[in-house]
Amino acid sequence: MILVTGGAGFIGANFVLDWLASSDEALINLDKLTYAGNPDNLSSLEGDDRHQLILGDICDREQVNELLARHQPRAIVHFAAESHVDRSIHGPADFIRTNVDGTFSLLEAARAYHEGLSGTDKTNFRFLHISTDEVFGTLSPADPPFSETTPFAPNSPYSASKAASDHLVRAWYHTYGLPVLTTHCSNNYGPLQFPEKLVPLMIANALAAKPLPVYGDGRQIRDWLYVGDHCSAIRRVLAEGKPGETYNIGGWNEKANIDVVHTLCDLLDELAPGKQAHHRLITHVTDRPGHDRRYAIDARKIERELGWHPAETFETGMRKTVQWYLANQTWVRKVQSGDYLQWIDKNYQQRHGSEA
Ligand code: NAD
Ligand code: TYD
């Protein structure tokens, strides 16, 4: 069996569902259920004894030690994190606690557990750390995409905290021989993403005929990957990745934010036509401080060494995503309460807007 952290969040839940759809290997899912963690994401697994959701914090060493001793996993796949850049700007402390202290604590628990293993259990054990392309900082238009050897240059509290955790993971390999793997993935989109991130926020606002808040000129570039493709890459790295190595994951889909929003508006005009064309809701608002201009991933290493490549194109992935949100409006409405409403007020109230 394997231990997953943060498996009730967006990517973690997609990973858990994909894992159990393609394997019978059981999975323990340790999640603190912060605002971003949602047990409803896993409701289709009710009664499935291959999956156990454990409420807990990766910073709680005793709890993690106890879980490792009891379940004896062959691998840890570490998704748990505070993950939203805008929230990290408003309140960085939680990012340092979970992403840095939490990863440190998990590494120490994994190290003690790994040292107690023997034979093939010890050789085959893996600690897979899920990181982000944001640790590499920002690119100019003519720069080549981020490769595995691009130096770290994080610019937001979120990316700085992820970079710090990546350094710890690397050091636990070199110093203690913990068999770690690290992945750096580009922006994900797809089902179950909390509607504070660009794609689901724009879909939710468009369906409610609310303004679509594009930061600054909207010409910032992200490299978009469908979440199911990220999950298949993680499975591949876990199965075949070489301990101590890092792998960049991306879909060769560089798009400006404004173009992503137009794609979503076009899909919504087709699949859920409103009284007016959705692009008329686009509003340019005050930019994010320290906003990285361009991310792009060079994914040749994982393709060459592990034979992975994405199954979805930007067009097929975005269509599936919009269809999922249209078919799951109850899920969206349920998460748009309490903390969500406070966050929307905090993040958008002071941004001045002008229509496109
Ligand atoms: P998310 O915010 O949707 O989910 C995070 C999950 O971690 C939630 O279920 C939350 O309850 C849990 N969690 C938070 N703090 C915890 C703690 N202290 N102990 C236990 N659980 C805790 O995040 P996501 O978008 O699914 O991202 C998952 C991972 O992938 C993160 O490490 C993130 O840095 C990385 N990543 C995300 C993207 C993206 O586009 N979303 C891209 C590349 C990498
Ligand atoms: P986001 O989904 O927050 O991911 P990240 O900051 O990790 O890349 O944002 C993606 C891009 O969209 C980023 O350049 C910021 C921009 N953005 C907006 O223009 N408006 C918004 O309301 C949000 C949430 C993001």
Side-chain angles (χ1 to χ4, degrees):
M1 68 119 61
I2 65 168
L3 172 70
V4 166
T5 70
F10 163 49
I11 304 172
N14 276 284
F15 178 83
V16 169
L17 295 169
D18 279 10
W19 180 269
L20 293 175
S22 57
S23 135
D24 270 336
E25 187 173 12
L27 197 150
I28 294 289
N29 182 357
L30 174 66
D31 198 297
K32 189 178 172 185
L33 297 181
T34 66
Y35 79 91
N38 182 354
D40 285 354
N41 293 349
L42 302 161
S43 56
S44 63
L45 296 176
E46 262 165 44
D48 187 332
D49 54 16
R50 296 173 304 164
H51 173 252
Q52 214 180 316
L53 179 61
I54 311 269
L55 179 62
D57 190 328
I58 55 166
C59 299
D60 182 345
R61 183 96 50 92
E62 261 178 48
Q63 187 184 17
V64 176
N65 285 341
E66 194 273 322
L67 280 177
L68 292 171
R70 180 143 49 100
H71 297 286
Q72 301 277 307
R74 70 169 177 92
I76 297 174
V77 184
H78 176 34
F79 294 95
E82 290 292 335
S83 70
H84 189 33
V85 174
D86 291 318
R87 285 192 193 245
S88 82
I89 295 167
H90 284 274
D94 285 348
F95 289 71
I96 304 305
R97 184 183 177 279
T98 286
N99 301 1
V100 186
D101 292 347
T103 301
F104 162 66
S105 189
L106 195 64
L107 282 166
E108 279 294 80
R111 174 163 80 95
Y113 170 68
H114 179 246
E115 278 169 4
L117 295 175
S118 56
T120 51
D121 286 349
K122 187 166 191 164
T123 337
N124 294 340
F125 181 77
R126 296 287 181 272
F127 183 103
L128 201 173
H129 176 59
I130 310 298
S131 191
T132 162
D133 60 355
E134 304 195 24
V135 298
F136 300 118
T138 188
L139 293 168
S140 297
D143 287 338
F146 303 129
S147 76
E148 285 77 5
T149 55
T150 303
F152 283 13
N155 293 318
S156 73
Y158 164 65
S159 55
S161 68
K162 290 297 289 189
S165 68
D166 295 355
H167 285 313
L168 294 175
V169 170
R170 176 190 159 90
W172 261 240
Y173 170 74
H174 285 280
T175 304
Y176 303 114
L178 186 68
V180 306
L181 299 153
T182 297
T183 55
H184 293 116
C185 191
S186 58
N187 283 63
N188 283 214
Y189 66 95
L192 303 173
Q193 189 168 29
F194 193 76
E196 64 183 358
K197 302 275 171 72
L198 180 77
V199 169
L201 180 108
M202 293 297 168
I203 299 173
N205 280 19
L207 288 174
K210 289 186 180 158
L212 307 181
V214 171
Y215 296 166
D217 65 2
R219 302 305 319 167
Q220 306 84 359
I221 290 172
R222 298 293 182 264
D223 190 348
W224 294 92
L225 185 72
Y226 187 68
V227 66
D229 283 325
H230 188 185
C231 294
S232 74
I234 295 168
R235 289 200 302 273
R236 188 67 60 88
V237 172
L238 184 61
E240 290 168 37
K242 192 164 160 260
E245 291 291 312
T246 65
Y247 297 91
N248 282 3
I249 305 172
W252 303 100
N253 277 314
E254 285 186 60
K255 306 278 177 206
N257 292 338
I258 189 72
D259 296 334
V260 172
V261 176
H262 275 291
T263 299
L264 292 170
C265 288
D266 290 346
L267 281 165
L268 286 166
D269 286 347
E270 178 197 328
L271 299 169
K275 286 200 187 90
Q276 56 171 351
H278 289 101
H279 69 84
R280 296 187 60 185
L281 297 167
I282 292 174
T283 308
H284 288 266
V285 299
T286 312
D287 208 349
R288 171 190 280 175
H291 199 171
D292 286 337
R293 200 66 189 165
R294 175 177 167 234
Y295 302 145
I297 278 279
D298 177 341
R300 282 177 297 178
K301 176 177 173 181
I302 186 171
E303 176 153 14
R304 188 178 62 243
E305 295 186 9
L306 307 185
W308 175 86
H309 43 86
E312 301 293 339
T313 64
F314 181 74
E315 288 68 29
T316 60
M318 279 292 169
R319 180 172 287 271
K320 276 190 178 175
T321 303
V322 170
Q323 284 168 334
W324 187 87
Y325 280 91
L326 287 173
N328 289 277
Q329 284 295 294
T330 317
W331 181 94
V332 178
R333 273 193 292 275
K334 214 167 151 189
V335 297
Q336 282 177 317
S337 59
D339 173 272
Y340 182 78
L341 297 175
Q342 281 171 24
W343 166 250
I344 295 294
D345 256 9
K346 194 185 209 176
N347 192 40
Y348 294 98
Q349 210 170 40
Q350 282 160 11
R351 290 181 193 271
H352 303 291
S354 63
E355 282 179 19

